[in-house]
Amino acid sequence: MNRPAAACLAACIATGTMLTAAAAATVRFRVVDFAGKPIKDAIVYAVPDTPLPPAKPRTAIIDQVNRQFVPQINVVQVGTYVDFPNSDNILHSVYSFSPAKTFVLRLYAGKTEPPVRFNKPGIVVMGCQIHDTMIAWLLVVKTPYFGKTNAAGLLVLHHLRAGRYRMHAWDVSMRKVTASRPLVVTAGGPPRQITFTLKAGRMPRHGPTMPGMSAGMGMQ
Amino acid sequence: MTVRTRSLRFRLIAFLVTLIGLVQIAEFALMTRASYGAAKAKIEQQFGVGDKVFARTLAENAAQQVQSARVLASGFAFRAAVAIGNPATVESALENYGTRIGARAVLYVNLHGDVVADTLRASPHVYPFALPALIHAAGQRGQASSIALLDGRAMQLIAVPVRAPLTIGWVVVCFPLDKALAEQLRSLTGLEVSFAVARGSRWTVVATTLPPKDARVLPARLQATHAGAKNALIRMPDGSELTRLLPLNDSGAARIAAVLTQPIGPALASFRALRATILGLGVFSLLVSILGSILIALGFTRPLAALLEAVKRIRQGDYSRLVAIKRDDEIGTLARGLDLMRARIFEREQRILKLAYEDPLTHLPNRLQFSESLEKALSAARKTRCGLAILIMDLDRFKYVNDTLGHGVGDHVLQEVAQRLRDVLGGAACIARLGGDEFAVLLEEATNGSVAQLAERVVSALERPILYAQQPLDVGASIGIATFPEHGADLQTLVRNADIAMYVAKRTRSGYSFYDPNYDTSQQEHLSLLSELRRAVEQGELRLYYQPKLTLASARVLAAEALIRWIHPVRGLMPPALFIPFAEHTGYIKSLTLWVLREAIAQCGQWRREGRDIQISVNISARDLTSRDLPERICALLAEHEVPARLLCLEITESGFMEDPKHAQRVLDRLAQQGIQLSIDDYGTGYSSLSYIMRLPVKELKIDQAFVSHMSEEPNLATIVHSTIELGHSLGLKVVAEGVEDSGGLALLRELGCDSAQGYYLSPPLPPAEFTAWLEGTLPVRLEGDLCRAEDEHAADLSIARGAALASGAY
C-alpha cells in the first residue's frame, strides 16, 4: 500500500520537475571509486518502477577496428540488434559464451554477418576467436534510460519522466551490477546530481573474470 | 755386517730415514688432503652445477608444461566445451587434451575454486580444489605451477586460466614426478635423481634412477641424516656419495623433495689414481732417500771403520801399515793425523826396541835379544829336529886394553870386534854382545864341523891385531860352543854350557872349545868350591910352598916365591889354577891373600930367627889392591913377626893395577913407602905401557915364563928376554926370569945379565921344611958350582941334575 503512495509521490515530484522544465527531468550522475577518483566508461542506467511500454527495436553498432572492438563498453536496451561490422582488413570471429547471450559469428570481414539481437538483460562479454585480446562488453538493460560516464566520470540523463526509478551503476571490472539506489524524478526543479561510489575502477591484472559465470560451469 | 744400534752409522741412517720418512708421510698426507679436497671441491662444484641444472631443467620443464596447458586452455573448441558444455563433455575434453599433452590428469576448476570436472574421477561431482593457492597464483600471474601431492601422488601441477574471453575457470594439468622424468633429468644433470615424499619424518621414494640396491636404502638415509634439512648437502656416512635434498614444495604436511645423488667413487677415480701415483713416488723417493742416506752414512762411517781398523792394528802393535784414507774432509785430516801418530809411535817403539834389544855401542843385539832369538830358534829346532849351536866368546885381553888405554879404545875394540864378527858370520842367525867383552853367536842348522870351521875363522879374524890410531892392539878371543840338542835342550843349559866351554878354551888357550860333559863335573866342583875353600882355610888344608929365586950374580938363594897349595882331604893336592881364579872371581881372594901374607910373613920371621934372611914374594891380586887397609894390615903383620919390610915382595900382574889405576897407585905408593918391595909379575903377556910402569914404585920385573921356558930353543924368545932385561935394567929395575927349565936357559939368563931366576930346573915350590933342607942340601951347592961352570963349559949334565931335582922334589 505504501508503495503506490510513495511511487505516486515520486512520480509527482518527477512530473513536477518535468512539468516545470519540458515535462521531463535531467539528472546528472557522477561515478567515482572509493578514492574519489572519477570512473570513466562506467554505465549508469535507471529502471523505472513502472514498466514502460515495449519500445521499437533499435540497432546498435560495435565496430572492429585495429583488432579492437569499438566501442569496447556498450549498453543497449533489451531487444536491441547489434551489428558487428569488421573494419579491419583481417578476418574476425566474434563470439560470446555469456549466459545473457551466446553466439558465434563465423570468420568474416566487412559487414557480411547479420546483426545479433540481445533480448535478455545481462552482461555479455564478447571476444574474437582469433584475437584473444579483443574484448567487448555489452550491458543489456530493460530501460531506455542509460549512458556511459565521460572521462570526468560524469553522465547526464535527460528527459527522465517523473516517476520512481532504480538507479544502477556498473563498471567492467564488476562481475555483476550491484550498485543500485532508488530515485524519484520530479518534473521541473533544478537538475539533480547523484554520485555513485563504486568498488571497481581497476581491471584485474590478468583480465576480468567472466561476469555471470562465477558459479558452476558458468552456464546458467 | 752386524747392526749395532749405538753405532754412528746406524744412528745417522736411522735419523735420515726417519726424517725423510716423516717428510714423505707429511707430504703424502698434505698432497692427499689437498688433492682430495680439490677432487671433492670439484665434485661438489659439479654437484652444485648439477643441482642448478636440475632446478633449471625442472623449471623449464614446468614452463613447457605451462605452454602445453596454455595451448590446451586456449583452444576455442575446448573453451567452448568448457563454457557451454555439460560436465561430461568437459571431462571428455579434458581427457582428450590431457592425453594430447601427455598429462597424467587434467582438472577444471571453476571460479569458485571447485573442481567441476577432472579426469581422475567420474562425474558429476564438485569438490574444492586441494590447492587453492595454485589457483590464486594463477589468477595473479596468469599461470602457476607447483609440485604437490594430489591424490597421494607427487605431481607437477600447472594451472592456467580458461578465457571466454574473460577467465571462466582454470585448467589444472598434472604431470607425475615419475621415473621417466627422473631419467630425463639425470641425462641432463649427470646426477642420480630421486623423488621422495616425506609424510612426517617418513620418507618414501616415488621415483628414482638409482639402482634398486641404493634406492632401497635411500629413505633410511634421508631419515637418518637430514630429516629436516632443506637444500642440504648430505654426506653419506661412508663418504661414498654426495646427496642433496632439494625440496620441491614449501608447505604442507607432505614434503616433496628431489634427491640428487652423485656417487663419489667414480668422481674420485682420478684422485685415487693421483694418490696412487703420489704414494708410488713417495715410496720410491723414500727408498731412494734411504739408499742415499745409507750411502752417505757409509761414506762417513766406512772411513771411520777403516780408522777404527787402523787404530785396532796400532793397538795390537802393528805399525807397519799406513792409515790409507785419502780424503779431503775432516776424516782425511783425522786419518793423516792418525797416520802421523802411528809413524811416531812406530819410530819411538823402534827406538825403544833398539834400546831394549840392541847394544848401542856395537849395534849388535843385546843379551835380551839374543835370549829371545835363541828361544825362538830352539822352539823351531825342536819342531824341525835341526841342530843349532851357540858360541859364547870372550875377548882375552880386553879388560887390559880397556883399563890401560881407556874406554874410548875399549869401545873402538868392541866395535871392531863386532864388525869382524859380522864379516865372518854374515849368515849367522844372531850375533849379540852380551855385555862387557862377551859376545854370543847363534848358528842355526849347524853341524859340529861347520861350527868348528866358523869358530876357527872367528878366532883367526880376531887374532889379527886391531888398529887404533895406527897402533895394533891384540885382543884375541876364546870361544865356547854348545850345540843343541847334544849339549842342552833349553836356553839356560846351552848358555851355561857354552860359558863353561868358553872358560875351558880360555884356560887352555885353545881358541875355541866345544862343551864337554866332563867340564860340567869340574863346574860342579867349582860350585861347592867356596865352602870347601872356607873349610880349607879353617881346617888348615892350605899350605904355602916356596920356590927359590936364585940370584944369578952371586948364585945364592936370597928370595923365594910363596905359592899356595891346597892339600884336599879327598882329592889330594889341588893346583892353584883350580881354585885361585874362582877365588878371584868370588872375592874370596882377599881372605886367601891375607892368609897367605900372614903365613908367609910368619915363615919369614921364623927363618929370620933361624938366621936366614929370605925375601918372600907374595902374589897380590887386583882385588887385593882395592882394599884400602892392605898396607896397614901388612904393616901390622910385619911388626908382629918382626920382619923388616924389605923381606916382603908383593908380585902384581900387569892387569892387577889396571882396574883402578889411581887407587892402585896410591896403595902401591904407600906399600913402597913402608919399604915393601913391589914386582911386576908375568911381564910381557899384557900390554902394560912401560912409561906407566915407570911411574909405579916397582923395583922388580918378572919376565913371564912363556918367554923363558923355551928360550934356549927359540932365539926369538931369547931376544925378547934379552931386550926385556935390558929395558928393565935401563929403568933401574931388577929382572927376574920365571920358568927356567934347563941349564941352557939358566946359563943364557946369566949371560944376558938377568938378576934372578926361578923355575923347576932350580926347584919346584917346596914346603918350608923341604925348602930349608934344599937350601942346606947339596943341590944348591951343586947348582952353585954348576952356575960357576956354566960360564966356560957346556952344561950337558944340567939336565941330569934337573932330572934328579925333579925326582927328589915333592911335586
Side-chain angles (χ1 to χ4, degrees), chain A residues 96-103 116-120 123-125:
Chain A
S96 164
F97 296 137
S98 299
K101 181 68 184 179
T102 300
F103 69 93
V116 178
R117 191 180 183 212
F118 292 86
N119 43 16
K120 257 166 92 178
I123 303 166
V124 178
V125 183

Side-chain angles (χ1 to χ4, degrees), chain B residues 338-375:
Chain B
L338 187 65
D339 195 49
L340 199 63
M341 193 169 85
R342 175 200 63 80
R344 293 277 159 81
I345 292 175
F346 182 57
E347 264 174 39
R348 251 169 273 162
E349 200 184 75
Q350 289 299 102
R351 212 154 61 221
I352 291 166
L353 277 178
K354 219 167 155 179
L355 288 173
Y357 285 105
E358 194 188 282
D359 169 41
L361 179 64
T362 59
H363 301 296
L364 286 176
N366 62 7
R367 182 184 289 275
L368 188 59
Q369 171 80 77
F370 180 76
S371 298
E372 287 186 5
S373 300
L374 181 54
E375 280 287 13

